[in-house]
Amino acid sequence: MSLTSAYQHKFAEKLTILNDRGQGVLIRMYNIKKTCSDPKSKPPFLLEKSMESSLKYINKKFPNIDVRNSTQHLGPVHREKTEIIRFLTNYYQSFVDVMEFRNLNFDFTRSYLDLIVTYTSVIFLLSRIEDRRVLIGLYNCAQEMMHGHVDPSYARLSQMVLEYDHPLKKLTEEFGPHTKAVSGALLSLYFLFVRRNQGADQWRSAQLLSLISSPPAMINPANSDTMACEYLPVEVMERWIIIGFLLCHGCLNSNNQCQKLWKMCLQGSLYITLIREDVLQVHKVTEDLFSSLKGYGKRVADIKESKEHVIANSGQFHCQRREFLRIAVKELVTVLTDEPGLLGPKALYAFMALSFIRDEVTWLVRHSENVTKTKTPEDYADSSIAELLFLLEEIRALIRRHIKVIQQYHLQYLARFDALVLSDIIQVCLLDYSSEISGKNPSQTVAPRLFFFFGSLSCFSPPLPQLQPQAYTSVAKAPLHLHENPDLAKVMNLIVFHSRMLDSVEKMLVETSDLSTFCFHLRTFEKMFAMTLEEPTMLRYAIAFPMICAHFVHCTHEMCPEEYPHLKSHGLHHCNSFLEELAKQTSNCVLDICAEQRNLSEQLLPKHSATTISKTPKKENLREKARSRDMDKLHINLTELALTMNHVYSFSVFEHTVFPSEYLSSHLEARLNRAIVWLAGYNATTQEIARPSELLAGVKAYIGFIQSLAQFLGADVSRVIRNALLQQTQPLDTCGEQTITTFYTNWYLESLLRQASSGVIILSPAMQTFISLPREGEQHFSAEEFSDISEMRALAELLGPYGMKFLSENLMWHVTSQIVELKKLVVENMDVLVQIRSNFSKADLMASLLPQLMGADNVLKRMTIIGVILSFRAMAQEGLREVSWGEGFCQALLSWESFSECCFLLYQVTLSVFELASAAGVGCDIDPALVAAIANLKTDTSSPEEEYKVACLLLIFLAVSLPLLATDPSSFYSIEMDGFSNNIHCLTKAVIQVSAALFTVYNKNIETHLKEFLVVASVSLLHLGQETDKIKTRNRESISLLMQESSFLTLDMLESCFPYVLLRNAYREVSRTFHLNRVPTSTH
């Protein structure tokens, strides 16, 4: 065959196209096999009960199905023929593709091993589709029913299916005539296969992959006579050899070298991959075939011997190679990272390292997945596999990062070296053929074509021109035979590799390091990841697992687009699950150390000072040593996990960009939220909770440690802390769980304020705190430990403005519930109160009206409860003000306070400003929260005028009920506490705040109504001075002290109703009585 004839036949182009199409057909067969083996994805009519008899009939009669005379059997098919055609068209056409691929294959693939293997794999997978006859027959029946004739391809397709029921028997018959070509191609692998199957000791002796073994040659370009073979996957060669000798086994008995190569290959693996997770059980399939052939008894013995050798030795053999690669590749990565310029001359080393790592990983995956029963399970497990995966990803990243270095180097190499060497070698080769080419100058015949082919290699060409020179110099009658010119072959290999370094680096990365096989060995993938997490020294490499998920995109093929969503789902799901687990482990480690930091900080709290000081120095006990060891382990694990989470900023999985730091931030935020809640220690049953100051100290210890890790974790810890603390200021966090805002709100309402309402706890204005009275069995906590100034500041700092607003809203709800009850009491006494309001100065009439009032004690009690709640809110607001004010903010609010003092009468206009000020803790004359709560109480049943009237009468009711307080023994004023044991000193705040809120809602003047209240109250208390019953006047002076403050009334107004001389006399009397009561106790 002439060179021109070879060019016309386009061997190289056809070979490339056939290989690509073969891969597509193989994937189609795989997809059909997987789809039909899973009941969830199987075509629905194959599972219908009504179709069962039809399917059995088609399977039994295949391929001779009489559609017209079998209506009894094929009735269901006729009814659903349209649906069957729609569902099975793709399946049927895929089988037709197999048939067409088979017809083309034999003309062009006799010596092309890849195509032989692909073709054989297609046939094997076809024979493994159990429903192949049903699918083809059912489609053809529906086709004939619909169109009146069978599909044109059906006869040949059905015949092919029948022939390949036993695929190996038919394949060996077909490939028998090509034994010489196939065996010759396989023997060319002999020395390469021997070299690539060397053990770790031989690799170590040869200092494989070492750039520093010979420093003077470090910058010399890495060359080889067989460049492309240096990174050729061993698994690919094993497939070529095993399948090649299966199909052309005749040479095994006649050629000793073929036999050696075959036996060597049998001693390497128990399984080889056909496609994805579909494997060929090498020894079983080969033994079954050779056992049925005469004269192959010795080969069967060789197979059994080889299998025993694999089982006994291959596990340790590959384990040692993986151990060598971990050390050698780590050294290679270190050198290339430090000197990336070496990627130019030493690019081959990088791709060799990638290929070797993938060989070992894929071998381990194949065997760990399929070898289920073994006496040495450790041979098929590797707890350090993560390091190899990590090194593989490191080299890939290095190559991508410095791709310009590689391209620039090889561009200059092609122009300044390869072109000159190629020119010299071709001239020498052509001179040798000059005697055979009569009357023509060799440079005018063959040379131009060869230079055309090689010229295309140096101009960023696609892979196809790289194959053309080899194809055109390998045909039978080529004027220049490649095998007779080894120097030309070496230069061709060199130029092809250098050309690929220009424009096919990414394809080379896929070719040498693609680990998309994990997409189909997910159980093994997950098991390896779990083993990595259990090995502390491997944690730093765990990020390789989610990064490997990015390889899954290479599984896709344009001939099988329906697979894409499924593969994408697998890739994203496992990437997400791996990162979630890594983030979970990291956040757990961080929070465990935080907990220990909090324990240490708790020992510094004032309550532990005496214990700490009293401790005598002593030797470290075993428990403290164990705790120290645990903390060391946590810090080591955290260091490793921080390295893995911070290794890469982002990477892509399919079209999604993944940020590992975001996973860590999310988990840290959730864990920190749970930790803060745990620190609070709230128990709804026993009503126990941590003091706000202690919780704040613990939170600060957590935050301080997390902030110290900012530069190590790679996560935005400021955002994590900010979000977590902000969530704790809301009633529920983002997960719907209750927060410390809810816990403290519930506790203060249900424990502290409830007991304060019942008189067990009193408010001490002098100490600015609530105090527990010594009553046995009443409470389980000390009120002052939860309500003093420092605790209120801590509470405000923890809850923030949002949380304090939530607390205020709940307090106001309780206030309004009391106001509702008070209004009911007013309505019950409406007539009497109207008369009292008009006749309060008439003593005789009042004497008859007052006894008619019902529930006066209840009014005082409920108003006292309101006062206690409002007093607690004022204390909380003061704490908020102190922790909220910065310097600038402080000045602004101070100016606002001075403004509000000047124009507080504009309260309706400035109510929204009051709300803003209240959110910052600034005290306001009109409480916006109370105003909003009361405004929401408006009912549709009563008019605004009636509601206003009730509000006015409520103040009257309260004013005339004040004298009743004098009869209560607890209504004695305590100088030490500046208050009363029954908390009635809170009445003043209740009256002022409730009045201001009520009359703001009704748009009335507050001062006018407070004057009315003050006048009625003063009259009532003055009448008390005329009372002769000592019981009723027991604490008259103490009660008089209630009326001495109001932000809405002037001192002149107060003086006119309650002369200061009365207050001074009341103070003197109360003080005298207080000290007299203490004298007996002191004397005793």
Side-chain angles (χ1 to χ4, degrees):
M1 181 183 293
S2 66
L3 188 61
T4 304
S5 177
Y7 181 76
Q8 290 171 348
H9 282 81
K10 297 185 178 180
F11 275 30
E13 289 86 340
K14 292 179 179 179
L15 179 61
T16 302
I17 293 170
L18 281 173
N19 267 310
D20 183 65
R21 184 165 182 81
Q23 282 296 316
V25 172
L26 183 58
I27 291 174
R28 291 293 308 166
M29 290 298 101
Y30 169 86
N31 188 53
I32 293 174
K33 174 179 175 289
K34 292 291 289 183
T35 302
C36 292
S37 61
D38 186 358
K40 295 180 181 179
S41 58
K42 203 170 187 177
F45 42 79
L46 295 183
L47 301 173
E48 292 177 4
K49 195 72 175 176
S50 59
M51 291 287 289
E52 188 175 340
S53 60
S54 300
L55 299 179
K56 288 181 179 179
Y57 175 79
I58 291 171
N59 193 44
K60 181 179 179 181
K61 296 295 183 178
F62 183 86
N64 301 314
I65 305 169
D66 189 355
V67 176
R68 296 181 180 178
N69 298 321
S70 304
T71 53
Q72 179 181 355
H73 298 286
L74 301 177
V77 177
H78 188 274
R79 287 193 296 271
E80 298 189 30
K81 58 182 181 293
T82 305
E83 194 70 10
I84 290 171
I85 290 289
R86 187 176 69 84
F87 259 96
L88 295 188
T89 298
N90 285 339
Y91 291 77
Y92 186 83
Q93 292 303 322
S94 296
F95 291 122
V96 172
D97 288 342
V98 175
M99 180 182 67
E100 292 177 351
F101 179 62
R102 169 178 178 258
N103 293 339
L104 289 169
N105 204 38
F106 288 106
D107 293 332
F108 306 103
T109 61
R110 295 176 184 177
S111 60
Y112 300 102
L113 300 176
D114 259 338
L115 206 51
I116 292 174
V117 169
T118 300
Y119 170 70
T120 306
S121 301
V122 168
I123 299 303
F124 268 115
L125 247 67
L126 174 64
S127 66
R128 293 181 181 184
I129 300 174
E130 296 181 0
D131 295 322
R132 59 189 180 279
R133 293 188 179 188
V134 171
L135 294 172
I136 296 170
L138 187 61
Y139 175 85
N140 187 65
C141 290
Q143 170 80 10
E144 187 172 352
M145 290 174 181
M146 182 171 287
H147 301 288
H149 59 81
V150 297
D151 187 82
S153 305
Y154 176 70
R156 291 183 299 141
L157 180 57
S158 58
Q159 184 61 33
M160 183 194 73
V161 171
L162 292 176
E163 289 175 353
Y164 287 113
D165 271 349
H166 302 285
L168 269 181
K169 182 179 179 182
K170 181 64 177 176
L171 286 170
T172 52
E173 292 176 4
E174 291 178 342
F175 276 88
H178 310 297
T179 298
K180 183 178 179 181
V182 174
S183 61
L186 294 175
L187 283 176
S188 66
L189 296 170
Y190 186 85
F191 293 104
L192 173 64
F193 192 72
V194 171
R195 178 157 51 86
R196 292 294 299 276
N197 276 277
Q198 292 177 344
D201 291 337
Q202 292 168 296
W203 279 0
R204 197 172 288 109
S205 299
Q207 293 187 317
L208 186 70
L209 301 178
S210 177
L211 296 180
I212 59 177
S213 59
S214 178
M218 186 178 289
I219 62 173
N220 294 346
N223 289 327
S224 168
D225 293 344
T226 52
M227 293 288 283
C229 297
E230 301 303 328
Y231 50 83
L232 179 66
V234 171
E235 185 187 5
V236 170
M237 289 190 282
E238 287 181 338
R239 276 202 297 267
W240 288 350
I241 295 168
I242 295 296
I243 292 178
F245 285 129
L246 267 178
L247 304 182
C248 306
H249 49 74
C251 60
L252 294 177
N253 287 333
S254 59
N255 190 315
N256 189 45
Q257 200 170 15
C258 286
Q259 189 182 127
K260 287 182 180 179
L261 178 61
W262 175 68
K263 287 181 65 177
M264 191 190 312
C265 190
L266 286 176
Q267 292 175 358
S269 299
L270 292 168
Y271 299 89
I272 60 171
T273 301
L274 293 177
I275 175 72
R276 297 174 176 175
E277 81 271 24
D278 273 281
V279 296
L280 191 68
Q281 197 169 348
V282 174
H283 301 86
K284 183 180 185 303
V285 171
T286 311
E287 185 178 350
D288 290 345
L289 175 64
F290 287 2
S291 298
S292 64
L293 302 175
K294 292 182 179 180
Y296 282 83
K298 291 184 178 180
R299 302 291 77 78
V300 172
D302 290 340
I303 294 168
K304 293 179 179 178
E305 181 185 345
S306 299
K307 184 177 181 180
E308 292 175 0
H309 181 274
V310 172
I311 294 173
N313 302 306
S314 65
Q316 281 301 309
F317 175 82
H318 286 279
C319 181
Q320 292 170 7
R321 298 221 305 188
R322 291 194 299 273
E323 186 62 36
F324 168 81
L325 286 174
R326 274 191 278 271
I327 299 171
V329 178
K330 188 184 295 183
E331 176 192 297
L332 178 66
V333 170
T334 302
V335 174
L336 292 178
T337 303
D338 187 59
E339 295 291 341
L342 289 175
L343 276 170
K346 302 297 184 183
L348 179 62
Y349 277 51
F351 288 104
M352 288 172 61
L354 291 174
S355 181
F356 292 171
I357 291 175
R358 188 180 70 168
D359 282 340
E360 295 308 314
V361 171
T362 54
W363 184 93
L364 185 63
V365 169
R366 288 199 311 275
H367 289 78
S368 60
E369 182 82 9
N370 293 287
V371 178
T372 54
K373 295 181 180 179
T374 177
K375 295 180 181 178
T376 56
E378 64 276 5
D379 288 348
Y380 306 105
D382 188 352
S383 60
S384 302
I385 194 66
E387 186 174 0
L388 274 183
L389 300 179
F390 181 84
L391 291 171
L392 179 136
E393 287 295 331
E394 279 286 88
I395 297 178
R396 285 166 60 96
L398 274 172
I399 292 173
R400 288 193 175 110
R401 192 180 309 132
H402 303 293
I403 191 170
K404 294 296 183 182
V405 173
I406 298 173
Q407 290 177 340
Q408 185 66 25
Y409 178 87
H410 288 92
L411 179 62
Q412 296 179 15
Y413 202 108
L414 279 166
R416 299 178 184 180
F417 180 80
D418 289 342
L420 300 176
V421 173
L422 177 63
S423 177
D424 292 342
I425 288 180
I426 289 179
Q427 291 298 332
V428 172
C429 292
L430 292 178
L431 288 175
D432 294 338
Y433 287 97
S434 61
S435 59
E436 300 179 14
I437 307 175
S438 58
K440 293 184 180 180
N441 184 351
S443 62
Q444 298 175 351
T445 55
V446 181
R449 293 189 177 89
L450 288 176
F451 275 112
F452 169 74
F453 293 139
F454 284 103
S456 66
L457 298 179
S458 59
C459 60
F460 302 95
S461 58
L464 192 55
Q466 299 169 6
L467 189 58
Q468 288 173 341
Q470 300 174 34
Y472 299 148
T473 54
S474 301
V475 294
K477 297 182 180 181
L480 183 63
H481 288 284
L482 193 59
H483 65 87
E484 296 175 357
N485 296 274
D487 290 339
L488 178 60
K490 295 174 185 177
V491 173
M492 288 171 65
N493 285 332
L494 193 64
I495 293 176
V496 167
F497 178 76
H498 293 165
S499 300
R500 298 190 74 181
M501 290 298 98
L502 285 178
D503 62 332
S504 302
V505 175
E506 192 62 38
K507 291 180 181 178
M508 283 280 289
L509 286 176
V510 175
E511 181 182 330
T512 56
S513 61
D514 175 41
L515 288 177
S516 57
T517 184
F518 278 118
C519 187
F520 310 99
H521 297 88
L522 295 174
R523 185 178 61 179
T524 302
F525 200 27
E526 293 167 356
K527 186 177 179 182
M528 288 179 173
F529 179 71
M531 292 172 64
T532 298
L533 295 184
E534 294 172 1
E535 187 65 38
T537 57
M538 290 293 112
L539 289 175
R540 66 172 60 190
Y541 307 119
I543 191 64
F545 286 92
M547 294 178 71
I548 292 295
C549 295
H551 296 205
F552 293 3
V553 71
H554 303 309
C555 303
T556 58
H557 196 279
E558 59 185 7
M559 287 186 66
C560 194
E562 60 268 29
E563 272 193 332
Y564 186 86
H566 180 67
L567 298 176
K568 177 181 175 181
S569 173
H570 273 314
L572 292 174
H573 170 72
H574 280 81
C575 177
N576 181 67
S577 64
F578 291 151
L579 286 173
E580 288 281 357
E581 185 61 30
L582 286 173
K584 178 182 175 183
Q585 295 268 359
T586 307
S587 58
N588 287 347
C589 197
V590 170
L591 269 296
D592 287 345
I593 299 176
C594 284
E596 184 62 25
Q597 294 292 326
R598 178 255 180 181
N599 292 337
L600 295 174
S601 72
E602 187 180 23
Q603 295 176 19
L604 300 177
L605 292 176
K607 67 178 183 179
H608 297 299
S609 59
T611 307
T612 305
I613 294 171
S614 63
K615 281 184 178 179
T616 57
K618 59 181 179 179
K619 294 183 179 179
E620 188 178 18
N621 57 32
L622 294 177
R623 181 177 297 178
E624 290 175 345
K625 288 182 178 179
R627 176 185 294 180
S628 178
R629 285 196 298 270
D630 291 342
M631 287 301 295
D632 289 343
K633 289 179 182 178
L634 284 173
H635 279 89
I636 292 172
N637 287 349
L638 179 58
T639 302
E640 300 293 314
L641 288 166
L643 286 172
T644 201
M645 293 304 294
N646 202 22
H647 174 68
V648 61
Y649 176 69
S650 67
F651 59 92
S652 296
V653 179
F654 287 80
E655 64 268 23
H656 293 259
T657 302
V658 180
F659 296 87
S661 59
E662 291 302 314
Y663 287 82
L664 179 56
S665 297
S666 176
H667 273 269
L668 269 178
E669 186 179 314
R671 277 304 310 273
L672 183 57
N673 267 319
R674 293 199 295 270
I676 293 173
V677 168
W678 174 78
L679 288 174
Y682 178 64
N683 188 322
T685 305
T686 61
Q687 285 296 309
E688 295 177 355
I689 199 168
R691 293 172 62 183
S693 59
E694 293 180 3
L695 175 58
L696 181 61
V699 170
K700 286 183 176 179
Y702 271 68
I703 292 174
F705 180 73
I706 292 175
Q707 286 177 329
S708 70
L709 300 176
Q711 59 182 334
F712 303 107
L713 292 178
D716 187 354
V717 296
S718 297
R719 189 188 68 187
V720 169
I721 294 169
R722 186 167 59 250
N723 289 350
L725 294 180
L726 185 60
Q727 287 183 50
Q728 291 303 313
T729 67
Q730 306 297 317
L732 299 176
D733 62 17
T734 54
C735 298
E737 300 293 332
Q738 290 184 334
T739 63
I740 58 173
T741 293
T742 301
F743 293 155
Y744 276 108
T745 298
N746 292 340
W747 188 87
Y748 277 106
L749 283 169
E750 300 299 327
S751 292
L752 191 143
L753 294 179
R754 185 176 292 276
Q755 293 191 34
S757 302
S758 60
V760 179
I761 295 174
I762 63 174
L763 172 65
S764 171
M767 301 179 187
Q768 297 185 38
T769 184
F770 283 89
I771 299 175
S772 298
L773 295 180
R775 295 185 183 181
E776 187 176 349
E778 291 292 336
Q779 76 277 338
H780 306 284
F781 63 93
S782 177
E784 51 268 35
E785 292 184 356
F786 289 86
S787 58
D788 63 13
I789 295 174
S790 61
E791 297 301 328
M792 289 295 99
R793 289 173 183 168
L795 181 68
E797 193 167 348
L798 287 168
L799 304 192
Y802 289 116
M804 298 301 282
K805 183 175 185 293
F806 178 78
L807 173 63
S808 296
E809 289 172 351
N810 279 268
L811 292 173
M812 292 306 110
W813 183 87
H814 283 269
V815 169
T816 53
S817 65
Q818 297 296 332
I819 291 175
V820 169
E821 297 301 320
L822 288 171
K823 286 184 176 181
K824 291 179 180 177
L825 290 171
V826 170
V827 171
E828 291 176 4
N829 296 274
M830 178 76 73
D831 296 337
V832 178
L833 289 172
V834 170
Q835 296 181 53
I836 290 175
R837 187 180 187 186
S838 303
N839 304 289
F840 66 88
S841 59
K842 300 176 182 178
D844 297 339
L845 188 57
M846 289 290 292
S848 61
L849 290 175
L850 288 176
Q852 299 180 32
L853 289 175
M854 296 182 296
D857 291 335
N858 201 357
V859 169
L860 293 171
K861 183 177 181 180
R862 292 187 182 279
M863 208 64 181
T864 302
I865 292 173
I866 292 174
V868 170
I869 294 174
L870 293 177
S871 297
F872 172 77
R873 180 171 186 271
M875 294 166 60
Q877 287 292 102
E878 179 63 19
L880 177 62
R881 185 184 67 83
E882 292 186 9
V883 300
S884 297
W885 281 23
E887 292 183 3
F889 189 53
C890 177
Q891 293 175 2
L893 286 179
L894 284 174
S895 63
W896 157 249
E897 283 188 314
S898 61
F899 169 76
S900 62
E901 289 173 3
C902 296
C903 54
F904 67 91
L905 293 177
L906 302 175
Y907 50 82
Q908 291 178 326
V909 178
T910 59
L911 192 58
S912 58
V913 183
F914 276 136
E915 187 174 358
L916 176 62
S918 179
V922 179
C924 302
D925 295 329
I926 303 172
D927 191 332
L930 184 56
V931 171
I934 292 176
N936 292 330
L937 289 178
K938 287 186 175 181
T939 60
D940 298 332
T941 55
S942 57
S943 64
E945 291 76 13
E946 292 177 352
E947 291 288 329
Y948 167 65
K949 180 180 179 181
V950 169
C952 294
L953 294 177
L954 173 60
L955 291 182
I956 299 299
F957 201 168
L958 183 63
V960 298
S961 302
L962 287 177
L964 296 177
L965 294 173
T967 62
D968 188 352
S970 300
S971 297
F972 178 76
Y973 180 79
S974 171
I975 296 176
E976 288 181 338
M977 293 186 299
D978 189 23
F980 298 81
S981 299
N982 54 3
N983 285 321
I984 58 173
H985 51 283
C986 298
L987 277 172
T988 304
K989 182 174 286 293
V991 171
I992 295 171
Q993 292 287 342
V994 171
S995 300
L998 283 171
F999 297 117
T1000 298
V1001 171
Y1002 303 134
N1003 198 19
K1004 302 296 181 179
N1005 187 277
I1006 301 170
E1007 182 181 349
T1008 302
H1009 293 85
L1010 282 177
K1011 285 180 180 179
E1012 182 183 16
F1013 167 80
L1014 190 61
V1015 170
V1016 176
S1018 64
V1019 171
S1020 299
L1021 291 176
L1022 289 175
H1023 288 168
L1024 186 63
Q1026 302 172 2
E1027 184 65 51
T1028 57
D1029 191 346
K1030 292 185 178 181
I1031 296 178
K1032 292 183 179 180
T1033 61
R1034 178 186 301 174
N1035 292 310
R1036 182 184 61 192
E1037 289 79 9
S1038 296
I1039 300 303
S1040 299
L1041 297 178
L1042 292 175
M1043 302 299 155
Q1044 55 179 318
E1045 63 170 325
S1046 174
S1047 56
F1048 293 93
L1049 299 178
T1050 63
L1051 290 176
D1052 292 340
M1053 183 62 197
L1054 290 171
E1055 178 70 19
S1056 65
C1057 296
F1058 275 94
Y1060 187 72
V1061 65
L1062 294 179
L1063 293 176
R1064 186 175 62 224
N1065 292 336
Y1067 267 117
R1068 186 176 63 249
E1069 182 63 25
V1070 167
S1071 177
R1072 186 182 68 82
T1073 306
F1074 177 80
H1075 288 294
L1076 286 175
N1077 290 338
R1078 288 174 59 91
V1079 169
T1081 305
S1082 302
T1083 304
H1084 175 74

